[in-house]
Amino acid sequence: MARTVWDSTVGKKAVMAVSGLIMLLYLVVHMIGNLKIFFGAAEFNHYAHWLRTVGEPFMHYEWTLWLVRIVLVVAVVAHAVSAYQLSRRDIKARPGRYVHKKPRASYATRTMRWGGIILGLFIVWHILDLTTGTVHSGGFQAGRPYQNVVDTFSTWYGNVIYIVAMLAVGLHVRHGFWSAAQTLGVGSRRRDRALKTAADVLALSLTAGFIAVPVGVMTGVVS
């Protein structure tokens, strides 16, 4: 039954919707945690340490964090694979280009594919920069995330990469939240306006919340 559901277009859209909502929940929590940087190095570093001790003593050190990481990896892979396969099906179903483009297609809708690619590349860079320190500028300091964040956003390219990616997040969330609601049967004529408003508020809040960190470093509020 699972294979039958996965092979169907509806099943793949459902996988995209559920995995997208999982990632959206993570983004909201992650943004709130990031904003702790405005309360100083001690507060932010303590928060980063707390993430590794969640669930103790029942859970071992970093076990909860690794569970979250595994769930996120599964969600990202499921989302990307289903999106790619749906895209291929769409191309096969209409190998020729439309004579007329859809006039009402939003910018977010037209750029979902490129936005997904940008975000995929950003995730790789973000992990190598602030988690493993492989491409980090200024000398990566394990256990000192506050200083690592300041180092990253003290470079012009770190700011450009991050801000462009967060703008892509906003567009992706705005369209993705709406699409997920329709796929899961939540949408209706009565709820359409509320869902669109919720999508706009979520997208704007996430974009502003994430971009606030590099802006804070650039303006000297975080230093």
Side-chain angles (χ1 to χ4, degrees):
M1 183 180 292
R3 183 55 187 267
T4 301
V5 172
W6 171 250
D7 286 342
S8 68
T9 298
V10 174
K12 292 184 188 298
K13 287 184 177 181
V15 169
M16 276 197 72
V18 173
S19 59
L21 291 175
I22 290 173
M23 290 186 287
L24 177 59
L25 176 61
Y26 169 76
L27 285 173
V28 172
V29 174
H30 189 44
M31 180 201 69
I32 294 172
N34 280 1
L35 293 177
K36 285 181 175 289
I37 201 167
F38 290 100
F39 295 94
E43 178 83 10
F44 192 70
N45 289 341
H46 175 70
Y47 164 68
H49 175 72
W50 172 81
L51 289 175
R52 289 159 173 75
T53 61
V54 173
E56 288 187 344
F58 178 75
M59 299 292 283
H60 193 61
Y61 182 75
E62 286 195 344
W63 278 14
T64 302
L65 183 59
W66 274 105
L67 279 174
V68 172
R69 287 170 174 169
I70 291 169
V71 170
L72 281 173
V73 168
V74 172
V76 169
V77 171
H79 198 77
V81 171
S82 54
Y84 173 76
Q85 293 183 353
L86 284 170
S87 177
R88 297 304 301 172
R89 286 187 179 184
D90 186 44
I91 292 172
K92 288 180 179 179
R94 49 175 182 81
R97 292 181 176 271
Y98 287 124
V99 176
H100 300 288
K101 293 182 178 180
K102 295 180 180 179
R104 294 185 179 180
S106 68
Y107 182 76
T109 303
R110 297 195 302 270
T111 57
M112 280 296 282
R113 291 175 187 173
W114 283 109
I117 293 172
I118 290 171
L119 292 177
L121 294 173
F122 168 75
I123 289 171
V124 174
W125 175 81
H126 196 50
I127 291 172
L128 293 176
D129 179 35
L130 293 176
T131 301
T132 67
T134 307
V135 299
H136 185 74
S137 62
F140 184 77
Q141 301 180 56
R144 298 188 64 188
Y146 182 93
Q147 189 58 50
N148 293 331
V149 170
V150 172
D151 288 343
T152 291
F153 296 132
S154 294
T155 63
W156 68 267
Y157 59 86
N159 289 311
V160 170
I161 292 172
Y162 194 84
I163 291 173
V164 169
M166 292 309 102
L167 292 174
V169 164
L171 292 173
H172 215 75
V173 167
R174 182 175 180 271
H175 179 71
F177 181 82
W178 167 256
S179 297
Q182 304 307 309
T183 298
L184 298 177
V186 179
S188 68
R189 288 187 176 181
R190 288 184 177 181
R191 300 171 185 161
D192 277 356
R193 180 174 296 180
L195 287 170
K196 288 180 179 179
T197 301
D200 290 340
V201 171
L202 270 171
L204 182 60
S205 299
L206 286 170
T207 303
F210 279 119
I211 289 179
V213 178
V215 170
V217 175
M218 285 189 286
T219 56
V221 175
V222 176
S223 62

